[in-house]
Amino acid sequence: MLPKAVMTKAQSELLDWNGLGTSVMEVSHRSKEFIALTDRAEADLRELMSIPANYHVLFMHGGGRGQFSAVVNNFLGKNGRALYLESGSWSSSAVAEARKLTSDGQIDTIDLLVEDNGVKRVQLPDFSAANDDYRYLHYCPNETVDGIEIFDDINCPWPIVADMSSNIMSREIDVSKFGLIYAGAQKNIGPSGLSIVIVRDDMLKLPSLPQSSIMDYRLAVKHGSMYNTPPTFAWYLAAEVFDWLKQKGGVSAMAEVNDKKAQCLYQFIDSCDFYENRVGQANRSQMNVVFYLKDETLNDTFLNQAKAAGLVALKGHRSVGGMRASIYNAMPLEGVEKLVEFMKDFAEKNS
């Protein structure tokens, strides 16, 4: 979901942006008007996330999956090693992509998931005595498919690379604890086709591999994210979302709302025998609430009636089944309350 106010503004400006008489999609990405937009977008993102001065902010192609390979090519070189933590579908996909590009022994993994009586939780390793020579540690703080989120800091001796595609700006984080953060835009930032990369200066000194120029972080820094024509409309919408977030009180204010939304839905699921969540409370995602009907023969009926009630995109990922309510920043509390109201009514009628 994108903020309604942003979509309404984009609609009103579609044919005449910035008084130019043209769409933002029609102007040169090197025009003074568009450069002003990109400068504002970066400044707003830096403010929203309190990004330190020794970090570069890049607006790139490829989405999250594109960054899976970009991270390897930019930082591992021919002989580098990296450690990947697996906590669900997306972190495992990052491992698979990294192994396509590397030799045996370059990518080590640790499975963080522990399952007790059908309930999954994350158990973080103790790295206090670690002496491995890794270029970086990679993990995914929020697993959209599995509804699992890691809230604890990871304390390790290596630079941390985080795939924050689905929880960026949903709550406050300390950017200085990361070597690199990347995020596909299509959850909390804007439409698909754009990815945000926040990279610390020293990471760019690591050995790199030959790769596509448009995924080279060093070239992106040198050319201000404009080595080639960027996804201009997605960048424009991202800038408007950043402005909307500032008007809403920033990330801290958004975190309060997100907590209320998640608690509203989880508390109802826990209180109703008709539904269940299979993630330990300490690792329940605030962005993606995955839940199951105890009687899964009612799944299609649930989805059809939910759609009729104006509640859409609730079908769980094919790999895990069940239902998934994605309650990203733009989803208001009222939307979650409406879902809970429907779920309560459905349970009463079908128990």
Side-chain angles (χ1 to χ4, degrees):
M1 187 175 185
L2 285 165
K4 186 176 180 180
V6 170
M7 297 294 280
T8 301
K9 184 178 181 184
Q11 182 184 46
S12 71
E13 294 182 339
L14 190 62
L15 299 178
D16 184 8
W17 173 68
N18 217 26
L20 297 176
T22 63
S23 171
V24 69
M25 292 182 281
E26 298 172 307
V27 302
S28 168
H29 61 290
R30 299 190 185 280
S31 66
K32 65 177 183 179
E33 292 85 2
F34 194 79
I35 294 297
L37 179 152
T38 64
D39 289 345
R40 173 170 63 88
E42 178 176 342
D44 286 348
L45 182 59
R46 284 185 177 276
E47 179 182 341
L48 285 164
M49 295 184 66
S50 300
I51 299 173
N54 62 323
Y55 285 73
H56 299 280
V57 175
L58 307 175
F59 293 79
M60 300 188 70
H61 299 266
R65 284 192 184 274
Q67 301 311 316
F68 290 171
S69 57
V71 166
V72 172
N73 288 331
N74 277 279
F75 300 145
L76 271 193
K78 290 183 178 180
N79 302 309
R81 296 172 61 220
L83 178 61
Y84 280 67
L85 306 183
E86 294 190 69
S87 55
S89 299
W90 285 110
S91 52
S92 295
S93 293
V95 170
E97 191 70 14
R99 283 184 167 154
K100 287 182 186 178
L101 304 169
T102 54
S103 304
D104 290 345
Q106 284 190 271
I107 304 298
D108 289 339
T109 63
I110 297 177
D111 186 353
L112 301 183
L113 291 181
V114 176
E115 187 168 341
D116 299 309
N117 298 318
V119 176
K120 293 182 179 180
R121 61 182 176 85
V122 168
Q123 184 171 306
L124 292 176
D126 180 3
F127 293 118
S128 58
N131 57 8
D132 294 275
D133 184 22
Y134 292 123
R135 294 275 171 80
Y136 62 84
L137 176 148
H138 178 284
Y139 84 117
C140 180
N142 186 69
E143 295 279 5
T144 60
V145 171
D146 310 88
I148 293 170
E149 189 163 2
I150 299 170
F151 296 94
D152 293 330
D153 290 337
I154 294 178
N155 299 308
C156 72
W158 318 289
I160 296 175
V161 173
D163 174 4
M164 293 191 179
S165 295
S166 55
N167 69 340
I168 192 169
M169 295 185 293
S170 66
R171 54 185 171 89
E172 291 183 295
I173 63 160
D174 183 351
V175 174
S176 69
K177 292 183 177 180
F178 298 87
L180 180 137
I181 294 168
Y182 66 87
Q186 66 275 13
K187 303 293 192 293
N188 278 333
I189 296 172
S192 59
L194 176 74
S195 56
I196 303 295
V197 174
I198 302 167
V199 58
R200 199 171 60 211
D201 280 343
D202 64 304
M203 296 294 289
L204 300 177
K205 298 176 183 177
L206 292 173
S208 61
L209 292 169
Q211 62 174 314
S212 168
S213 294
I214 66 169
M215 301 304 285
D216 187 326
Y217 296 149
R218 295 157 189 81
L219 275 177
V221 168
K222 181 179 179 181
H223 293 275
S225 300
M226 290 192 184
Y227 180 75
N228 68 322
T229 305
T232 54
F233 190 67
W235 202 335
Y236 153 76
L237 281 175
E240 293 299 330
V241 170
F242 298 156
D243 184 61
W244 174 81
L245 278 169
K246 289 176 62 179
Q247 292 178 36
K248 289 292 183 180
V251 174
S252 61
M254 192 57 57
E256 291 183 17
V257 177
N258 287 334
D259 185 63
K260 289 178 182 177
K261 291 187 298 187
Q263 291 305 315
C264 175
L265 187 45
Y266 282 121
Q267 286 173 6
F268 171 73
I269 292 169
D270 289 342
S271 70
C272 182
D273 292 336
F274 195 83
Y275 306 97
E276 66 176 347
N277 173 267
R278 301 172 185 172
V279 179
Q281 291 196 11
N283 295 118
R284 287 178 168 180
S285 171
Q286 287 199 318
M287 296 285 95
N288 309 97
V289 180
V290 174
F291 62 95
Y292 299 84
L293 280 64
K294 293 287 185 66
D295 181 0
E296 296 200 67
T297 64
L298 292 170
N299 281 359
D300 288 343
T301 303
F302 178 92
L303 290 168
N304 290 334
Q305 291 187 13
K307 184 177 180 180
L311 301 163
V312 298
L314 286 168
K315 187 175 182 179
H317 192 272
R318 61 186 179 277
S319 64
V320 299
M323 307 295 160
R324 175 176 57 175
S326 291
I327 50 177
Y328 300 117
N329 281 352
M331 173 62 69
L333 176 60
E334 292 77 12
V336 177
E337 291 173 339
K338 181 70 175 178
L339 174 59
V340 168
E341 180 184 329
F342 168 79
M343 290 172 64
K344 181 178 180 181
D345 182 65
F346 186 87
E348 290 174 351
K349 291 178 178 177
N350 291 277
S351 294

